Amino acid sequence: MRLPRIMLAAPASGSGKTLVTCGILKALVNRGYRVASFKCGPDYIDPMFHSRVIGTHSGNLDTFFTGRETIRYLFGREAEKAEISVAEGVMGYYDGLGGISTEASSADVAKALDMPVVLVVNCRGLSLSVIPLIQGFVEYEHPRRIRGVILNQMSPAVYPDLKELIEMRLPVRVLGYVPRLPELSWESRHLGLVMPEEIRDLKEKLGKLAKVLEKSLDLDAFMAMAYEAPALEYTVPNLPGPCRKEGVPIAFARDEAFCFTYRDNLRLLKDMGARFLEFSPLRDKELPKGSRGLILSGGYPELYAEKLGENKSMREAVRRAVEGGLPCIAECGGFLYLHRSLEGEDGRSYPMAGVIDAHAYPTGKLSRFGYVMLKSMEDQMLLGKGGRIRGHEFHYWESEDCGESMRAEKPLRQRNWGCVHGTPTLYAGFPHLFFYSNPQAAKNFLECCEGAPCLH
């Protein structure tokens, strides 16, 4: 298939990838293109910004979570609906597993998808020195995939001369520059950027950014580079069959506090027969009637701990349902919500659902950050004993009782630890799971839900 595609990567985090990516996406949408967008790696927040621009959900591309055939499928099934697909890289272009490998890096994704790359270089404090920096990135991999460069935070007065020097000395095309735009900058929080809905006048800012980039970037050359990508073949993976035709009703938490869920997990569950009944633990008083299962996604419960605590009706409904055997997946923020109590960002403790008899509290630093390979230590809802699935941890809060039903192993590192409260009807723990790394786990969850009584 001819699937025009291109990646925006950078030498390091903080180079402005997300800002530039969103500006380009907005400019392409303004031109009338059907655009698909993706984020390399396990990030949740950047795809939310993409989605605000293109009006549909953005996906993740991660070569740790899945093999190359599966990542081609996950990319291809969305890319074939669009006229161009834009992927945003993660961290530095070559930064992968354990900080010592290119596996699961942006470069690894570009290789798996045979995708041309444009390097976004933050030029603040640089002029001629940007040339050897770009040269090192271009020449580090073979075959070379970095075809273009965008100079971020670049002086318009210096740009023409620097563009000429770069193109004279290096085998890349300079596609333009982004001037310093302090009025369009976005704030950050401990998990990355703040949520899109927290940015005042985001729509207007994106519109202004797109207008700037229409003038300062050669978007026609950017499009042409994407259309130079070779044909890409992919096959549909052999997945477990669907459950009953009428759909298995699953209560699915979605609000400001519970908003981190991989799009591909939801789509896989839907393909297998799930029917999601959305609700808000912040605002609703009870779980959706008719539910046979429950998903409590990750997110920011610590920011809304007081409001969650005040919603006693919902807390008690969740406790009764989970303790009564309603199949439940609770990841990271959802796991915190199941605790007896949670210390909020304001330093005060608030009552939560009380399924896990433990307190959750902030540590002030990242805990067990990064990819994990999980091994089941006992038969439980998602996996039988010895079963494996891949996931990712990224949290500043800790629990007095993380569980011992699974063993987490760090890839390329001699480090492992116990985690997860797992029972025949429960998965509750910090790791965010990616179901395409073991689709049978998703099937096992739905089959458990099928056998559960409906909530009344």
Side-chain angles (χ1 to χ4, degrees), residues 141-159:
E141 71 175 343
H142 298 280
R144 297 171 181 170
R145 289 186 175 78
I146 298 175
R147 311 281 175 78
V149 176
I150 292 174
L151 305 178
N152 191 23
Q153 299 204 66
M154 166 57 59
S155 165
V158 176
Y159 171 71

Side-chain angles (χ1 to χ4, degrees), residues 253 255-258 279-285 296-297 299-316 318 333-334 336-338 342 344 350-353:
D255 59 21
E256 303 93 303
F258 302 94
F279 74 101
S280 168
L282 284 170
R283 286 176 283 275
D284 294 329
K285 298 303 180 184
L296 295 166
S297 303
Y300 286 120
E302 66 272 18
L303 300 184
Y304 303 93
E306 182 176 9
K307 192 171 181 179
L308 289 169
E310 290 174 347
N311 194 348
K312 184 178 179 181
S313 176
M314 176 58 76
R315 291 191 290 106
E316 291 183 347
V318 169
L336 295 179
Y337 181 64
L338 291 187
L342 168 65
Y350 298 95
M352 293 291 118

